[in-house]
């Protein structure tokens, strides 16, 4: 069974912000609307962001997390319960115990409905181990694989991968950010994972989605992550003991071969390294946006 939904809807980002005509700044944070009523909860100048990243580059992960918990309002951790995310979760739990009256960092989990059963089992073990709320978001208007395939047909992930990514991942993520009024998210991305992740900074601005992304373990290697998991006895996905290193949907994840990159088991044989939630908008997402703009203009 998949974990139950624990999220509650709240107002959209910036909906409570007051309009101030003098607030024209080089925020380093692009917005689809120039009205100051829609400015994000956190903004930086480009120079300030560059300075912060330079300072954070050599800081250890625990101190990065300490800093981010103080700096960012409405901070969440978005996770599919991979090893890096689990390290971050364990560190946050330790930090919360240092200051038990502080605001905890809740989790956002995108349930595509196609996760491995081992992933759902891990979610329950994490909830039992840590005092953390998991906000679960599924594809809109469906609760089961049967309902999903009744709407979109079987194997949509093969028929139209971009459409699948939009329905199962991108739209639920956007809905999560809006309903939870998210300002910033902690991710599990690391440079050692390669591909587009090879040059990411600690803090980056996702201008398309209107949030700040923080990559607290950006400098860690896979062996460092696994060593932390073992040392601190952090619960992890049972698939890791069967040759998997990066775990996503069951239909697009296979074990990693000897000497292969840790994400080599994702979308094997496809010209694809990301699912749409961390990269630029897919053609389908661009189409949806264009259609929405036509309706607004009409």
């Amino acid at each position: 069974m998949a974990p139950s939904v624990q999220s509650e809807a709240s107002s959209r980002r910036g909906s409570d912000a007051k309009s101030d005509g003098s607030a024209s700044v080089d925020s380093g944070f692009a917005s689809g609307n120039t009205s100051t009523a829609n400015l994000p909860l956190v903004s930086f100048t480009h120079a300030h962001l560059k300075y912060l990243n330079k300072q954070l580059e050599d800081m250890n992960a625990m101190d990065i997390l300490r800093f981010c918990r103080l700096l960012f309002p409405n901070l969440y951790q978005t996770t599919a319960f991979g090893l890096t995310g689990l390290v971050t979760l364990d560190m946050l739990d330790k930090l919360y115990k240092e200051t038990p009256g502080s605001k905890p960092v809740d989790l956002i989990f995108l349930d595509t409905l196609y996760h491995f059963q081992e992933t759902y089992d891990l979610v329950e073990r994490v909830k039992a181990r840590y005092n953390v709320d998991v906000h679960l978001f599924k594809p809109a208007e469906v609760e089961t694989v049967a309902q999903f395939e009744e709407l979109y047909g079987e194997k949509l992930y093969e028929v139209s991968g971009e459409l699948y990514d939009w329905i199962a991942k991108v739209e639920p993520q956007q809905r999560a950010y809006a309903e939870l009024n998210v300002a910033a998210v902690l991710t599990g991305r690391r440079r050692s994972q390669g591909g587009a992740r090879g040059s990411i900074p600690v803090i980056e601005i996702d201008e398309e989605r209107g949030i700040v992304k923080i990559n607290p373990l950006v400098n860690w290697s896979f062996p460092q992550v696994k060593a932390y998991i073992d040392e601190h006895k952090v619960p992890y996905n049972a698939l890791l003991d069967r040759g998997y290193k990066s775990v996503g949907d069951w239909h697009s994840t296979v074990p990693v071969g000897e000497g292969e990159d840790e994400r080599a088991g994702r979308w094997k044989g496809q010209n694809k390294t990301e699912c749409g939630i961390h990269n630029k908008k897919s053609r389908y997402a661009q189409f949806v946006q264009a259609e929405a703009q036509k309706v607004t203009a009409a």
Side-chain angles (χ1 to χ4, degrees), residues 1-6 109-117 119-121 123-124 127 134 136-138 143-145:
M1 290 288 291
S4 59
V5 177
Q6 298 188 25
F109 174 48
L110 304 179
D111 181 6
T112 65
L113 306 175
Y114 289 90
H115 286 291
F116 288 92
Q117 184 58 47
T119 301
Y120 293 121
D121 293 342
V123 174
E124 296 305 317
K127 290 162 67 176
V134 178
L136 183 150
F137 288 82
K138 296 181 179 182
E143 289 292 324
T144 66
V145 170

Side-chain angles (χ1 to χ4, degrees), residues 138-212:
K138 296 181 179 182
E141 300 179 357
V142 296
E143 289 292 324
T144 66
V145 170
Q147 292 174 348
F148 185 94
E149 295 185 350
E150 182 178 354
L151 274 178
Y152 304 109
E154 294 183 3
K155 298 184 178 181
L156 179 64
Y157 45 83
E158 292 182 0
V159 175
S160 177
E162 287 192 344
L163 178 57
Y164 172 79
D165 286 346
W166 169 264
I167 295 170
K169 302 173 185 180
V170 178
E171 188 283 328
Q173 179 194 63
Q174 293 181 352
R175 184 163 19 101
Y177 291 169
E179 290 186 8
L180 298 172
N181 200 28
V182 174
V185 292
L186 298 163
T187 86
R189 294 182 301 157
R190 295 179 284 105
R191 292 177 191 146
S192 64
Q193 291 170 326
R197 305 183 179 201
S199 59
I200 56 175
V202 178
I203 297 178
E204 56 187 326
I205 307 301
D206 187 332
E207 296 178 344
E208 291 183 347
R209 297 165 180 87
I211 61 159
V212 178

Side-chain angles (χ1 to χ4, degrees), residues 5-298:
V5 177
Q6 298 188 25
S7 62
E8 295 182 358
S10 61
S11 61
R12 285 185 174 272
R13 290 187 303 283
S15 61
D16 295 329
K18 296 181 180 179
S19 178
D20 179 359
S22 65
S24 178
V25 296
D26 175 16
S27 68
F29 205 130
S31 173
N33 189 324
T34 57
S35 168
T36 55
N38 291 316
L39 283 175
L41 296 176
V42 179
S43 61
F44 301 100
T45 64
H46 290 290
H48 190 193
L49 184 63
K50 183 178 180 180
Y51 171 81
L52 285 176
N53 275 317
K54 184 176 180 180
Q55 302 306 307
L56 294 170
E57 182 64 29
D58 297 321
M59 192 178 292
N60 69 57
M62 284 285 279
D63 286 339
I64 290 174
L65 290 171
R66 283 192 182 93
F67 172 75
C68 291
R69 288 178 77 235
L70 291 173
L71 179 64
F72 293 104
N74 293 22
L75 174 65
Y76 287 80
Q77 180 185 355
T78 180
T79 184
F81 298 91
L83 285 187
T84 315
L86 293 167
V87 171
T88 300
L89 171 60
D90 189 77
M91 288 181 172
L92 287 170
D93 182 66
K94 289 176 169 57
L95 291 176
Y96 182 74
K97 289 174 181 176
E98 290 180 1
T99 54
S102 62
K103 186 179 184 300
V105 177
D106 290 357
L107 305 184
I108 296 173
F109 174 48
L110 304 179
D111 181 6
T112 65
L113 306 175
Y114 289 90
H115 286 291
F116 288 92
Q117 184 58 47
E118 288 85 349
T119 301
Y120 293 121
D121 293 342
L122 174 61
V123 174
E124 296 305 317
R125 286 189 287 129
V126 164
K127 290 162 67 176
R129 165 79 175 265
Y130 301 101
N131 182 28
V132 63
D133 288 333
V134 178
H135 300 270
L136 183 150
F137 288 82
K138 296 181 179 182
E141 300 179 357
V142 296
E143 289 292 324
T144 66
V145 170
Q147 292 174 348
F148 185 94
E149 295 185 350
E150 182 178 354
L151 274 178
Y152 304 109
E154 294 183 3
K155 298 184 178 181
L156 179 64
Y157 45 83
E158 292 182 0
V159 175
S160 177
E162 287 192 344
L163 178 57
Y164 172 79
D165 286 346
W166 169 264
I167 295 170
K169 302 173 185 180
V170 178
E171 188 283 328
Q173 179 194 63
Q174 293 181 352
R175 184 163 19 101
Y177 291 169
E179 290 186 8
L180 298 172
N181 200 28
V182 174
V185 292
L186 298 163
T187 86
R189 294 182 301 157
R190 295 179 284 105
R191 292 177 191 146
S192 64
Q193 291 170 326
R197 305 183 179 201
S199 59
I200 56 175
V202 178
I203 297 178
E204 56 187 326
I205 307 301
D206 187 332
E207 296 178 344
E208 291 183 347
R209 297 165 180 87
I211 61 159
V212 178
K213 286 183 177 178
I214 305 120
N215 310 305
L217 274 69
V218 69
N219 284 321
W220 283 40
S221 66
F222 183 85
Q224 285 177 294
V225 173
K226 187 61 167 65
Y228 182 100
I229 294 287
D230 294 340
E231 178 183 352
H232 297 270
K233 296 180 172 54
V234 179
Y236 63 90
N237 198 314
L239 294 172
L240 271 293
D241 295 328
R242 302 178 208 163
Y244 294 80
K245 284 190 175 180
S246 177
V247 180
D249 290 340
W250 62 259
H251 54 70
S252 57
T253 308
V254 297
V256 174
E258 184 69 28
E260 285 189 311
D261 181 87
E262 67 180 271
R263 287 177 61 81
R266 304 289 294 277
W267 307 288
K268 192 105 173 178
Q270 302 180 44
N271 184 24
K272 181 176 182 178
T273 60
E274 298 285 354
C275 66
I277 61 174
H278 290 303
N279 53 2
K280 297 293 184 180
K281 290 179 180 176
S282 67
R283 289 191 299 273
Y284 185 77
Q286 293 171 18
F287 169 78
V288 170
Q289 183 182 43
E291 290 300 302
Q293 290 172 345
K294 288 180 185 177
V295 172
T296 301

